[in-house]
Amino acid sequence: DSGVTQTPKHLITATGQRVTLRCSPRSGDLSVYWYQQSLDQGLQFLIQYYNGEERAKGNILERFSAQQFPDLHSELNLSSLELGDSALYFCASSALSTATSTDTQYFGPGTRLTVL
Amino acid sequence: GENVEQHPSTLSVQEGDSAVIKCTYSDSASNYFPWYKQELGKRPQLIIDIRSNVGEKKDQRIAVTLNKTAKHFSLHITETQPEDSAVYFCAAINRNSGNTPLVFGKGTRLSVIA
């Protein structure tokens, strides 16, 4: 158990809908990262938040957005869902945003999103 | 930005043999290289990492080597066991840059045949 939690574990929805995925980082970690992993694909970095502020952006679609709250949990919002959005969505957390000897990313169990 | 290439994409070995997975990176400023193991349907888990001031690191049956000049690093698994079967991802990052995330390779699916 990495200490990172994600809810829900599974989500089934229809095209055009909107969903929210939730992530709680490890205690004390300030950075949260979101990744998308499609079937048999690698980990596509979406976005990073550090202590409530957006820190880095990857290949995140305009239909997707995220935020990190004062208690450091994060939510990833996916809207106008398409079939191709079906994937595993992972959240990871790390202690700090910049160079540090302990800036390892720990992954949550993921949310499996199925868009029908 | 950083680009990480990982080879091979699939690898099958007999139980007890060694497995080697190689990654190359493009940004010479990258200074931290973790390896993650992902079992089917599970989360990626950090198995070993290496920093740029070290050439090799070992942890039981797993070792990672780094060649900064050639900009490549490798994962070595000795005496493979069926439970080593998983997808392995390498990654690289310049930890001094602040705003760049980990860049992952596309993964290697390792199958250990009993």
Side-chain angles (χ1 to χ4, degrees):
Chain A
D1 185 2
S2 66
V4 180
T5 60
Q6 287 186 250
T7 56
K9 275 189 177 177
H10 302 278
L11 199 47
I12 301 174
T13 188
T15 54
Q17 295 299 304
R18 172 190 167 94
V19 297
T20 297
L21 313 184
R22 182 188 168 104
C23 168
S24 292
R26 294 187 321 153
S27 176
D29 282 0
L30 298 178
S31 267
V32 170
Y33 311 77
W34 286 98
Y35 293 89
Q36 180 191 56
Q37 187 176 42
S38 301
L39 191 64
D40 283 342
Q41 296 292 310
L43 292 156
Q44 298 296 319
F45 169 71
L46 296 178
I47 197 163
Q48 177 200 358
Y49 278 82
Y50 172 67
N51 204 20
E53 294 188 3
E54 182 183 306
R55 182 56 67 101
K57 218 168 185 174
N59 299 322
I60 187 166
L61 300 172
E62 284 193 13
R63 301 184 285 109
F64 296 180
S65 65
Q67 53 184 328
Q68 186 179 27
F69 295 86
D71 66 352
L72 301 177
H73 91 271
S74 177
E75 292 181 357
L76 179 67
N77 300 295
L78 315 176
S79 62
S80 303
L81 285 167
E82 302 175 359
L83 296 177
D85 298 327
S86 295
L88 258 176
Y89 290 85
F90 286 104
C91 155
S93 75
S94 69
L96 295 175
S97 175
T98 56
T100 169
S101 62
T102 58
D103 194 18
T104 300
Q105 287 189 29
Y106 295 90
F107 282 79
T111 292
R112 183 173 295 281
L113 173 66
T114 302
V115 182
L116 300 175
Chain B
E2 176 65 276
N3 182 49
V4 176
E5 300 280 343
Q6 184 171 347
H7 300 280
S9 55
T10 59
L11 180 59
S12 289
V13 299
Q14 292 289 327
E15 182 178 358
D17 287 351
S18 295
V20 180
I21 302 170
K22 298 181 180 180
C23 290
T24 60
Y25 60 99
S26 60
D27 185 356
S28 57
S30 287
N31 54 15
Y32 175 64
F33 308 92
W35 285 87
Y36 286 84
K37 174 184 179 182
Q38 186 179 25
E39 296 176 8
L40 191 61
K42 303 255 180 95
R43 76 187 80 194
Q45 290 189 290
L46 180 74
I47 54 171
I48 196 167
D49 57 14
I50 191 167
R51 291 166 177 78
S52 58
N53 59 345
V54 174
E56 183 174 358
K57 184 176 178 181
K58 238 181 160 179
D59 183 3
Q60 299 183 333
R61 297 186 297 108
I62 293 173
V64 56
T65 58
L66 171 65
N67 183 327
K68 285 191 295 183
T69 304
K71 290 191 283 188
H72 68 69
F73 56 111
S74 300
L75 178 71
H76 304 253
I77 307 174
T78 58
E79 300 172 22
T80 53
Q81 301 167 3
E83 51 264 39
D84 295 328
S85 296
V87 178
Y88 291 81
F89 292 97
C90 63
I93 187 175
N94 174 3
R95 299 175 75 171
N96 297 320
S97 69
N99 289 344
T100 57
L102 266 178
V103 178
F104 284 87
K106 292 194 183 304
T108 296
R109 183 175 300 278
L110 173 65
S111 300
V112 180
I113 304 163

